[in-house]
């Protein structure tokens, strides 16, 4: 059996970073809680000019575990993210890979 569902681990802290080029949908997000943690997602293929944020999650020390209902959050151009905080990483599950 083949699936179009994949997992991305996003680890770059403090900069807009291209996590995936091309069309995709985020269906879940998990992150370790670290003081003042925030993840911002943009629908863009260019990390230098990502445009308007599609989703922002401020989760601090409590961590983050989000399962997006339905078809997930759609990104037409690519997934650019900005992870802010002391460190850590975010794991996202995507479809359309």
């Amino acid at each position: 059996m083949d699936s179009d569902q994949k997992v991305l681990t996003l680890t770059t802290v403090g900069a807009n970073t291209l996590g995936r080029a091309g069309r995709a949908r985020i269906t879940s997000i998990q992150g370790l809680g670290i003081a003042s943690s925030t993840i911002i997602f943009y629908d863009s293929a260019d990390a230098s000019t990502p445009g308007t944020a599609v989703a922002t999650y401020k989760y601090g020390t409590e961590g983050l575990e989000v399962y997006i209902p339905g078809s997930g959050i759609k990104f037409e151009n690519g997934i650019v993210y900005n992870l802010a905080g002391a460190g850590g990483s975010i794991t996202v599950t995507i479809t359309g890979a």
Side-chain angles (χ1 to χ4, degrees):
M1 182 172 140
D2 191 25
S3 173
D4 72 340
Q5 193 155 6
K6 307 288 184 216
V7 174
L8 299 176
T9 302
L10 312 176
T11 58
T12 302
V13 177
N16 291 334
T17 306
L18 182 63
R20 164 128 169 64
R23 189 168 195 254
R25 291 178 183 268
I26 294 179
T27 57
S28 74
I29 308 165
Q30 295 178 328
L32 176 67
I34 297 175
S36 301
S37 295
T38 302
I39 183 80
I40 304 169
F41 293 103
Y42 303 91
D43 181 0
S44 178
D46 185 357
S48 65
T49 56
T52 304
V54 173
T56 301
Y57 296 93
K58 296 178 182 181
Y59 56 97
T61 57
E62 66 272 13
L64 179 67
E65 191 167 316
V66 177
Y67 298 96
I68 293 116
S71 298
I73 303 170
K74 183 172 80 170
F75 295 82
E76 286 289 340
N77 303 298
I79 300 171
V80 171
Y81 71 94
N82 190 313
L83 175 60
S89 67
I90 293 285
T91 301
V92 297
T93 306
I94 64 168
T95 60

